[in-house]
């Protein structure tokens, strides 16, 4: 976990010291600085640019990517798929069948356009199965989410679940590993890693460097 999560998160945090790495909404930038910190100084502007990315988008993207890598490279029960649109293939611990699975982070990961894309990918797998005489059933096509609970499914996940298998959180990890406690053990391991990390100074340094970069590129911004 240290290698998979902390290292890339740290690397992505350091990148935020340059304005070139940040896409900002120019209409809200100064507003957010004033709303949160009461002024629109260079440091305040840098702070509201860095914190949401360090604590939100950056780690969320890192988590999703690295957890998928973890599944396909570390776990013996699964492997990356060469089939277009399929993230991993694995042998289901409950029914013993090979599953063709697309993986997302959590229960809010899907939007309307995603539904069409995923269904098209699954139809392509079924067409490939017919062409190559592969014994793939409808319930061998799986959409999975790394964390969450079925009660948290959004409208689009519920729509997908009408046609395909959808596994989330505890059920997904149990089917993937055969270990009923794996989901909770993994969460515990993440918490233990968190206890070893203190990047307060790194974030502070990143904000200060970004403030300098903002002043250089927008010298009149905090007038």
């Amino acid at each position: 976990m240290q290698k998979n999560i902390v290292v890339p998160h740290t690397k992505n945090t350091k990148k935020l010291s340059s304005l070139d790495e940040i896409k900002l909404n120019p209409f809200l930038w100064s507003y957010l600085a004033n709303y949160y910190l009461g002024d629109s100084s260079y440091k305040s502007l840098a702070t509201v640019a860095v914190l949401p990315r360090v604590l939100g988008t950056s780690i969320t993207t890192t988590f999703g990517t690295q957890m998928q890598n973890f599944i396909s490279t570390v776990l013996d029960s699964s492997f990356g798929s060469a089939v277009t649109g399929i993230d991993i293939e694995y042998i289901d611990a409950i029914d013993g069948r090979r599953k063709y699975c697309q993986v997302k982070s959590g229960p809010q990961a899907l939007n309307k356009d995603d539904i069409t894309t995923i269904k098209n990918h699954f139809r392509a797998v079924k067409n490939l199965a017919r062409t190559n005489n592969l014994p793939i059933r409808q319930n061998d096509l799986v959409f999975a989410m790394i964390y969450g609970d079925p009660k948290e499914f959004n409208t689009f996940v519920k729509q997908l679940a009408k046609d395909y298998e959808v596994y989330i959180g505890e059920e997904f990890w149990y089917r993937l590993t055969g270990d009923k406690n794996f989901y909770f053990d993994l969460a515990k391991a993440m918490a233990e890693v968190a206890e070893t990390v203190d990047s307060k100074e790194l974030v502070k340094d990143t904000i200060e460097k970004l403030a300098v970069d903002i002043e250089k590129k927008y010298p009149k911004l905090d007038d």
Side-chain angles (χ1 to χ4, degrees), residues 8 32 44 61 100 130 170 178 183 189 200 218:
L32 291 173
S44 294
T61 301
Y100 297 80
R130 282 193 291 269
E170 183 181 358
Y183 178 62
K200 181 170 59 178
Y218 297 96

Side-chain angles (χ1 to χ4, degrees), residues 44-121:
S44 294
L45 292 167
T47 299
V48 297
V50 168
L51 290 184
R53 289 162 177 80
V54 169
L55 302 177
T57 52
S58 174
I59 185 57
T60 300
T61 301
T62 296
F63 174 78
T65 301
Q66 295 302 322
M67 288 303 289
Q68 186 172 316
N69 289 340
F70 171 76
I71 291 170
S72 60
T73 61
V74 177
L75 300 179
D76 293 335
S77 57
S78 66
F79 37 89
S81 177
V83 179
T84 301
I86 301 300
D87 296 320
I88 62 169
E89 297 177 27
Y90 69 93
I91 304 302
D92 192 288
I94 294 179
D95 64 19
R97 293 187 58 81
R98 180 187 294 266
K99 303 298 181 180
Y100 297 80
C101 179
Q102 185 164 119
V103 182
K104 296 290 185 183
S105 293
Q108 303 300 317
L110 288 190
N111 58 44
K112 184 177 180 180
D113 292 336
D114 291 329
I115 295 294
T116 300
T117 300
I118 292 170
K119 286 186 174 182
N120 285 341
H121 285 153

